[in-house]
Amino acid sequence: MINNSGNAFDYSLFKRLLKFTKPYKFVFYFVAFAAIILSVFAIVRPYLTQEAIDLSINTQDYDNLVYYTALMLITLVLEVIFQFGFIYYANWLGQEVIRDIRVKLFEHMLGFKKQYYDNSAVGRLVTRAVSDIETIASIFSQGLFMIISDLLKMLVVVGFMFYQSWKLSIVVLLVMPFILYATRVFQQKMKSAFEEVRTQVANLNSFVQERITGMKIVQIFGRENAEYERFKAINAKHKKAWIKTVWYNSIFFPVAEVATSITIGVLVWYGGMQIVENNNLSLGLIVMFIQLTQMLFRPLRQIAEKFNTLQMGMVAANRVFKILDTQASITDVGAIEAKQLKGAIQFNEVRFSYIKGEEVLKGISFAVNEGETVAIVGATGAGKSTIINLLNRFYEIDSGTISIDGVSVKDYTLASLRNQIAVVLQDVFLFADTIMNNITLKENSITEEDVITAAKAIGVHDFIMSLPNGYQYNVKERGVMLSSGQRQLIAFLRAYVSKPSILILDEATSSVDTYSEQLMQDATERITKGRTSIVIAHRLATIKKADKIIVMDAGQIVEMGKHDELLEKENGYYRNLYEVQFLQENTLDV
């Protein structure tokens, strides 16, 4: 885990970033070489200016002036070429690095347990994967390499100054400690300010993403004004964080500019006095020192500005690497490929808790035989959906064992296990894509012909063809162009075409209209035939046809058996549930 110690520059963090440049080491070396060459060019032009003044202008030698002018032109062209290569490839390197980091981050996030997403705001994760990673690119394009280039320029300039005149060099450097101190204070303040900026950006993204996603709820309950006020408060904090960075910039850069002007003024006064009194210095030397002073102080101001960019990049990198260092993935050490499972499921003394110390499943045990359809019923929070999540290994159990066909689910490879289990959820998620792509999820092995055949088999082909463009109809984000029942039919077809060994219907018909439910019931009979199925449902028609009913309450199995057997238990949990809920529902349906 990256430790953000508050240092100006985190070397361990930067060393980790450099590992991503290894595939592009030749570009990296070229950018470093270009930085060195540009530092040399920094003194060439001022030196040629001095020579032109002292050896050409003062002596009125026209041919010599043309010669030095040509040299300056050639130097300028070469400097432009290297400057172009430096800027282009530094930016190119930054984009290649963040592409690789973003791919690595997304791959890492794909393997996270559901529990990680339960506890993480989507807006924050989007910020990390998009804007924070984009900010990392500035470390290479506008931050580190630019700072190194500027530092090299300053070192070369200072060395050349002392070589030409140590007296004038001391005049120039008298103000340097003050500027260095101001720069140090400035970068410390900016680091703290940028950390606050990134925090407020994440808060703003998270708030906006959640409210846009849940806009229907906001409008239904008339919370527009309340959410508007909350947004204004969050936006104000975001503005305040940025204003703080503007405040520090507004103080530092004018101070640095004044210090530069004062230094040049003292340099002209002192150099001019020397020329007037004893002519120890030349006019060309004074002009050269004025140019060198600007070259020395300008990079110093730019270093402070680019340090802001570097700080933002390092803060963003720290946040991204914290996610990369998060060990929230399901352990995938299984070696057995789950192919064509028979579907015999065994839960043995399984205990599980989302929050440590608060058990959701309290040592449950049950068996589902091959090809059997089992219904799980119980009040909300009884642990029904948790069983499904554990079977798919979306969470790790606290103790006990879960096995399929006599093999622990941990011994199967994670991908092959999940490929053999199809789930239809009550809350169906559809991507902003065509119906065809939402069904196949772009799995190349599933052809359009397979989808159409499956759709006809379960009776949803006519419904799909009634939509504009049929299977190519774009359902938009989260499937908003379809009704709840239509979305569930699409999800059922998606599960059907995957040809699973085990089918799970997690309250898949609880919010479906009567017509769609009849389609689902007919399809359920076809898809569950000869296939192990687990059905979590509220509707009586779904439960009555199950081979076995598991009744749960508060994380425990309280009853188990067939529908008729459970009804015969006087004061039984299932019987009470049937009389209070299922019977009433059946009457209403009639």
Side-chain angles (χ1 to χ4, degrees), residues 19 52 75 77 89 93 129 181 186 228 288 339 366 385 442 455 472 506 515 537 549 574:
K19 292 180 180 179
T75 301
V77 171
Y89 284 106
L93 181 63
Y181 175 75
F186 175 69
Y228 172 68
M288 182 183 70
K339 295 182 178 179
F366 67 88
S385 295
K442 298 187 178 180
Q472 301 307 316
D506 188 356
Y515 173 74
I549 299 173
Y574 179 78

Side-chain angles (χ1 to χ4, degrees), residues 169-170 176 183 209 216 230 263 286 392 394 470 518 535 590:
S169 299
I170 290 177
M176 185 66 74
T183 302
Q209 189 273 336
K216 185 176 181 180
R230 290 185 63 188
T263 302
I286 299 297
N392 280 278
F394 292 135
Q518 186 59 51
V535 181
V590 174

Side-chain angles (χ1 to χ4, degrees), residues 34-35 38-39 86 144-154:
L38 288 172
S39 67
F86 175 78
L144 184 77
F145 285 124
M146 291 293 187
I147 290 175
I148 291 175
S149 177
D150 288 342
L151 285 175
L152 285 173
K153 286 180 183 177
M154 292 171 64

Side-chain angles (χ1 to χ4, degrees), residues 269-281:
W269 171 79
Y270 177 78
M273 291 293 294
Q274 292 294 311
I275 293 176
V276 171
E277 291 179 358
N278 49 34
N279 204 26
N280 287 336
L281 304 177

Side-chain angles (χ1 to χ4, degrees), residues 23-224:
Y24 320 105
K25 59 182 179 181
F26 293 112
V27 174
F28 183 88
Y29 293 148
F30 170 78
V31 173
F33 173 73
I36 296 173
I37 295 299
L38 288 172
S39 67
V40 174
F41 280 127
I43 62 170
V44 172
R45 283 189 291 113
Y47 174 72
L48 292 176
T49 301
Q50 177 200 2
E51 293 293 293
I53 293 174
D54 291 341
L55 302 180
S56 302
I57 297 176
N58 287 342
T59 60
Q60 298 183 352
D61 188 337
Y62 175 77
D63 293 336
N64 207 30
L65 179 62
V66 172
Y67 169 73
Y68 280 111
T69 302
L71 285 180
M72 283 191 281
L73 181 61
I74 293 171
T75 301
L76 180 62
V77 171
L78 290 174
E79 188 175 3
V80 167
I81 292 173
F82 276 96
Q83 190 75 27
F84 167 78
F86 175 78
I87 294 174
Y88 176 81
Y89 284 106
N91 280 274
W92 182 91
L93 181 63
Q95 290 300 317
E96 291 293 324
V97 166
I98 66 168
R99 181 197 63 184
D100 294 345
I101 294 177
R102 186 176 282 127
V103 169
K104 186 177 180 66
L105 178 66
F106 188 71
E107 181 185 28
H108 189 62
M109 291 169 63
L110 284 174
F112 280 163
K113 305 174 187 176
K114 282 186 64 177
Q115 194 164 9
Y116 178 85
Y117 294 105
D118 293 342
N119 300 322
S120 302
V122 174
R124 289 180 182 274
L125 295 177
V126 171
T127 300
R128 301 294 178 265
V130 181
S131 61
D132 277 347
I133 288 185
E134 197 64 43
T135 305
I136 293 175
S138 62
I139 292 178
F140 300 95
S141 60
Q142 299 296 325
L144 184 77
F145 285 124
M146 291 293 187
I147 290 175
I148 291 175
S149 177
D150 288 342
L151 285 175
L152 285 173
K153 286 180 183 177
M154 292 171 64
L155 288 173
V156 171
V157 166
V158 170
F160 187 68
M161 278 181 168
F162 273 96
Y163 175 76
Q164 292 292 323
S165 172
W166 66 270
K167 291 182 180 180
L168 290 180
S169 299
I170 290 177
V171 171
V172 172
L173 296 179
L174 281 175
V175 76
M176 185 66 74
F178 169 75
I179 294 182
L180 289 175
Y181 175 75
T183 302
R184 173 63 178 173
V185 173
F186 175 69
Q187 65 87 8
Q188 288 178 333
K189 296 294 186 181
M190 290 301 291
K191 178 177 176 61
S192 174
F194 280 131
E195 286 177 343
E196 178 63 18
V197 165
R198 298 315 304 168
T199 298
Q200 294 306 326
V201 167
N203 289 341
L204 188 62
N205 285 347
S206 180
F207 183 88
V208 172
Q209 189 273 336
E210 288 182 351
R211 268 57 189 183
I212 291 177
T213 303
M215 188 59 69
K216 185 176 181 180
I217 298 299
V218 172
Q219 294 177 344
I220 286 175
F221 288 93
R223 300 297 297 169
E224 292 93 338

Side-chain angles (χ1 to χ4, degrees), residues 501-529:
S501 299
I502 299 172
L503 175 67
I504 296 171
L505 304 179
D506 188 356
E507 302 186 0
T509 63
S510 61
S511 59
V512 179
D513 56 67
T514 304
Y515 173 74
S516 297
E517 183 186 2
Q518 186 59 51
L519 287 177
M520 296 286 284
Q521 292 295 341
D522 294 341
T524 299
E525 291 184 13
R526 292 173 182 169
I527 195 173
T528 58
K529 187 175 182 180

Side-chain angles (χ1 to χ4, degrees), residues 254-389:
V255 168
E257 189 66 36
V258 169
T260 303
S261 300
I262 291 174
T263 302
I264 292 176
V266 173
L267 182 66
V268 171
W269 171 79
Y270 177 78
M273 291 293 294
Q274 292 294 311
I275 293 176
V276 171
E277 291 179 358
N278 49 34
N279 204 26
N280 287 336
L281 304 177
S282 68
L283 179 61
L285 186 66
I286 299 297
V287 173
M288 182 183 70
F289 260 79
I290 291 174
Q291 288 183 301
L292 291 175
T293 299
Q294 293 174 327
M295 288 187 175
L296 179 65
F297 281 58
R298 188 186 306 119
L300 189 60
R301 296 197 302 271
Q302 290 176 346
I303 283 175
E305 184 177 3
K306 290 178 175 62
F307 200 90
N308 297 346
T309 303
L310 180 62
Q311 290 283 40
M312 289 190 71
M314 296 296 277
V315 169
N318 187 54
R319 293 174 183 269
V320 170
F321 283 136
K322 279 183 178 179
I323 297 180
L324 284 173
D325 290 336
T326 300
Q327 299 301 318
S329 300
I330 296 291
T331 304
D332 188 11
V333 295
I336 301 175
E337 289 290 325
K339 295 182 178 179
Q340 297 303 318
L341 297 175
K342 295 179 180 179
I345 302 170
Q346 181 78 42
F347 273 60
N348 184 29
E349 288 295 321
V350 174
R351 294 183 177 274
F352 172 75
S353 54
Y354 293 103
I355 302 173
K356 190 174 182 180
E358 299 179 15
E359 281 191 337
V360 177
L361 297 183
K362 304 171 182 178
I364 66 169
S365 299
F366 67 88
V368 181
N369 299 323
E370 175 187 342
E372 196 172 49
T373 297
V374 173
I376 304 177
V377 301
T380 300
K384 306 185 299 296
S385 295
T386 300
I387 291 176
I388 307 309
N389 289 329

Side-chain angles (χ1 to χ4, degrees), residues 382-585:
K384 306 185 299 296
S385 295
T386 300
I387 291 176
I388 307 309
N389 289 329
L390 296 180
L391 187 61
N392 280 278
R393 292 200 68 203
F394 292 135
Y395 300 87
E396 295 281 24
I397 60 176
D398 297 338
S399 63
T401 58
I402 302 174
S403 61
I404 299 177
D405 293 352
V407 179
S408 171
V409 291
K410 293 183 178 181
D411 294 333
Y412 290 114
T413 61
L414 198 58
S416 67
L417 173 67
R418 291 178 179 172
N419 282 339
Q420 291 297 307
I421 303 174
V423 182
V424 180
L425 300 171
Q426 178 183 5
D427 184 17
V428 176
F429 185 93
L430 296 181
F431 296 96
D433 208 332
T434 65
I435 287 180
M436 179 63 69
N437 287 337
N438 269 290
I439 294 169
T440 65
L441 297 178
K442 298 187 178 180
E443 172 59 52
N444 294 329
S445 63
I446 303 175
T447 66
E448 183 174 354
E449 184 180 349
D450 294 333
V451 174
I452 294 174
T453 300
K456 289 179 178 178
I458 64 174
V460 299
H461 175 72
D462 292 340
F463 139 65
I464 295 175
M465 292 306 297
S466 68
L467 299 172
N469 299 322
Y471 288 89
Q472 301 307 316
Y473 179 65
N474 194 311
V475 300
K476 304 302 181 182
E477 187 174 4
R478 299 182 67 89
V480 296
M481 302 304 291
L482 301 177
S483 69
S484 174
Q486 290 172 333
R487 289 196 296 270
Q488 288 192 328
L489 288 171
I490 297 300
F492 201 92
L493 181 55
R494 178 162 61 192
Y496 188 30
V497 297
S498 67
K499 299 178 181 178
S501 299
I502 299 172
L503 175 67
I504 296 171
L505 304 179
D506 188 356
E507 302 186 0
T509 63
S510 61
S511 59
V512 179
D513 56 67
T514 304
Y515 173 74
S516 297
E517 183 186 2
Q518 186 59 51
L519 287 177
M520 296 286 284
Q521 292 295 341
D522 294 341
T524 299
E525 291 184 13
R526 292 173 182 169
I527 195 173
T528 58
K529 187 175 182 180
R531 177 183 284 118
T532 301
S533 304
I534 298 177
V535 181
I536 299 174
H538 290 305
R539 302 238 175 170
L540 179 61
T542 306
I543 299 170
K544 286 176 65 176
K545 296 177 182 179
D547 298 310
K548 183 191 300 180
I549 299 173
I550 297 174
V551 186
M552 296 193 65
D553 182 40
Q556 294 178 312
I557 296 176
V558 293
E559 291 177 352
M560 191 183 304
K562 290 182 177 293
H563 173 72
D564 294 335
E565 295 173 352
L566 294 175
L567 285 181
E568 292 176 359
K569 292 185 179 182
E570 193 169 345
N571 294 323
Y573 190 98
Y574 179 78
R575 180 172 175 173
N576 290 334
L577 190 67
Y578 171 77
E579 291 175 348
V580 173
Q581 180 178 344
F582 297 147
L583 190 59
Q584 181 182 12
E585 179 189 282

